[in-house]
Amino acid sequence: MGSNAARGAVEAVWRMESARIVGALARFTGDFALAEDLAQEALAEALVSWSVNGVPAEPTGWLLTTGRRRAIDSFRRRAAGDERYALLARDLSPEEPGPDALFDPEAIDDDVLALMFISCHPVLSKEARIALTLRVVGGLGSEAIAKAFLVPVATIQARITRAKKTLAAANVPFAVPEPKERAERLGSVLQAVYLIFTEGSFASGGDSWIRRDLAAEAQRLGRTLVRLDPQPEVFGLLALMELTAARFPARVDASGQPVLLEDQDRLLWDQSAIRRGRAALARAVAAGHGLGAYGLQASIAECHAVAGSVAGTDWPRIVGLYEALGRLTPSPIIELNRAVAVAMASGPADALVLVEAIAARGELRGTHLLPSVRGELLTRLGRRDEARTALWEALEMCGNAAERAALERKIGALST
């Protein structure tokens, strides 16, 4: 097998099994940071070995066995100076335990769940949680993560290194947290997955308006989490992602340019994703505890999903849902979205009052979102010169090429 074929095989196995491999090695070593390093070393060895000897019959078991043997070597090298590693190294044999003992089907779910809660531990910064989650749970390399968030590879590598050191310094054990602690940390896990999906849905930079690969990774993490820890708000987040992603096929045209909601061909919306999202939302509602922030956003997305047209959308309900969301998690972004819904429910004049209030408080300064919405409302009110000024302001601050092109078309339409 050639080196390219070997690389493809390694990447495929890692993409599907990375969380389970790192989790099994972490369970074996008791050291999360070491386990991730061992997994990377096993991958490097596989690239060489598989190009010469071909892909083994059990590639996951091969990687686990290689990682385990490297762990044993590491323990023995460090045993002389560290009592902890001396205890681990004692009586270890390169032949025992075998890969089956590491890849324990009864422990797989717990391993993945532990990884998710460790990679999103509250001692880490938001940026570190996202990078580490994509690395150890999503199986993405530093290059892919850096590309996703438009930062240098060295920055991502530094974040991951610092995150592992922080976890080690805090003595964070590799274990599924107790129920009380899990509930306290679940929000951190959900936030990381949500932020990954949001960047995929509305790319902050680059040429594409939608990063489908990033959004799909967040959905995969959400499906894993809902299987491992089926809490109502986990179902709410999964519902939000499914219902939002259902509109992806209609949100860009053949050339990749954004298509506004009112211009989208709703026949292109993914009905299977809508059904999955509504089923997940129903599970969240059925818990009877009231919807959280993700469930409320999913309810808004459901209003769009079931409407036959923009005019036929239940805009008053959407306004009410945004009001509830704003009370639960106050945010100028939520207020801005509520203003957009108000514009559809009762007209652009009422909405512009809300937008001007946000601007007067100095909130959302430095982002293109507020002047973009303001320009749209002014256009609908026939105040063309003011609208053009607002849209130019939005254009100057927008970092996404596709969205910039859409703003330029709006400005051009006002100029003719």
Side-chain angles (χ1 to χ4, degrees):
M1 173 182 286
S3 58
N4 289 338
R7 178 175 294 277
V10 169
E11 289 176 351
V13 174
W14 182 248
R15 187 73 178 80
M16 292 184 291
E17 302 286 5
S18 59
R20 295 180 176 186
I21 291 170
V22 175
L25 289 171
R27 174 162 40 86
F28 176 61
T29 63
D31 187 328
F32 166 78
L34 175 61
E36 212 273 329
D37 291 340
L38 292 170
Q40 294 297 323
E41 291 177 14
L43 287 179
E45 187 168 333
L47 286 174
V48 176
S49 177
W50 295 6
S51 63
V52 176
N53 303 316
V55 178
E58 296 291 340
T60 302
W62 190 99
L63 290 169
L64 281 168
T65 300
T66 301
R68 173 176 55 81
R69 287 173 178 162
R70 286 181 173 270
I72 294 170
D73 292 341
S74 175
F75 292 157
R76 288 179 172 152
R77 285 195 304 270
R78 298 157 77 173
D82 191 322
E83 183 179 352
R84 175 182 50 160
Y85 288 108
L87 291 172
L88 288 169
R90 189 177 61 193
D91 300 327
L92 282 175
S93 164
E95 303 304 324
E96 295 293 341
D100 289 344
L102 271 179
F103 208 58
D104 180 2
E106 298 299 321
I108 283 172
D109 285 356
D110 283 351
D111 288 346
V112 177
L113 188 59
L115 278 182
M116 295 191 80
F117 276 90
I118 290 173
S119 64
C120 295
H121 196 283
V123 299
L124 301 177
S125 68
K126 179 180 72 176
E127 294 79 9
R129 292 175 202 166
I130 293 172
L132 204 57
T133 300
L134 287 174
R135 175 66 170 266
V136 302
V137 186
L140 301 187
S142 299
E143 294 81 2
I145 302 172
K147 181 180 178 182
F149 289 94
L150 305 173
V151 297
V153 173
T155 299
I156 289 297
Q157 291 173 333
R159 284 179 188 171
I160 292 171
T161 299
R162 283 196 302 270
K164 291 195 288 186
K165 288 180 178 178
T166 300
L167 292 172
N171 292 316
V172 176
F174 180 79
V176 177
E178 294 298 321
K180 180 180 178 181
E181 186 181 359
R182 188 189 309 175
E184 293 171 348
R185 288 162 53 180
L186 180 62
S188 181
V189 176
L190 296 179
Q191 182 191 37
V193 177
Y194 174 73
L195 290 172
I196 292 167
F197 181 79
T198 300
E199 179 63 26
S201 301
F202 302 95
S204 59
D207 297 329
S208 300
W209 197 28
I210 302 174
R211 289 293 311 276
R212 293 174 186 266
D213 54 345
L214 206 56
E217 183 56 38
Q219 289 175 269
R220 189 179 74 85
L221 293 175
R223 294 185 191 113
T224 299
L225 187 57
V226 82
R227 177 171 57 84
L228 301 177
D229 196 16
Q231 301 298 319
E233 192 66 339
V234 182
F235 278 109
L237 176 57
L238 181 61
L240 171 60
M241 293 191 292
E242 292 283 11
L243 291 166
T244 302
R247 302 201 298 269
F248 283 0
R251 276 186 54 204
V252 293
D253 61 20
S255 62
Q257 296 303 310
V259 179
L260 299 177
L261 180 64
E262 57 264 31
D263 299 324
Q264 290 177 16
D265 180 356
R266 297 183 179 225
L267 294 177
L268 296 178
W269 288 2
D270 186 340
Q271 296 302 313
S272 295
I274 290 173
R275 286 192 292 272
R276 291 194 301 270
R278 299 189 72 190
L281 181 57
R283 289 287 299 272
V285 171
H289 304 310
L291 292 175
Y294 301 118
L296 287 171
Q297 291 179 76
S299 297
I300 293 168
E302 183 184 43
C303 287
H304 292 297
V306 300
S309 65
V310 169
T313 303
D314 191 347
W315 291 106
R317 172 170 165 74
I318 292 176
V319 171
L321 288 167
Y322 271 123
E323 289 173 351
L325 183 61
R327 288 193 296 269
L328 187 64
T329 56
S331 160
I333 289 291
I334 293 172
E335 289 188 50
L336 186 64
N337 286 332
R338 182 169 74 90
V340 173
V342 167
M344 301 303 298
S346 57
D350 291 341
L352 186 60
V353 173
L354 300 175
V355 171
E356 299 291 18
I358 298 172
R361 294 195 299 268
E363 296 173 332
L364 298 181
R365 184 178 296 149
T367 172
H368 72 287
L369 297 175
L370 191 144
S372 178
V373 170
R374 187 171 180 271
E376 187 67 31
L377 296 175
L378 289 167
T379 299
R380 290 179 58 184
L381 289 168
R383 295 159 61 176
R384 295 168 65 90
D385 291 341
E386 294 172 88
R388 191 161 43 243
T389 299
L391 291 174
W392 269 113
E393 183 183 351
L395 181 64
E396 290 173 355
M397 290 186 286
C398 183
N400 183 276
E403 198 166 2
R404 285 177 60 85
L407 288 167
E408 288 171 348
R409 287 196 298 273
K410 289 182 180 180
I411 293 170
L414 287 170
S415 302
T416 56

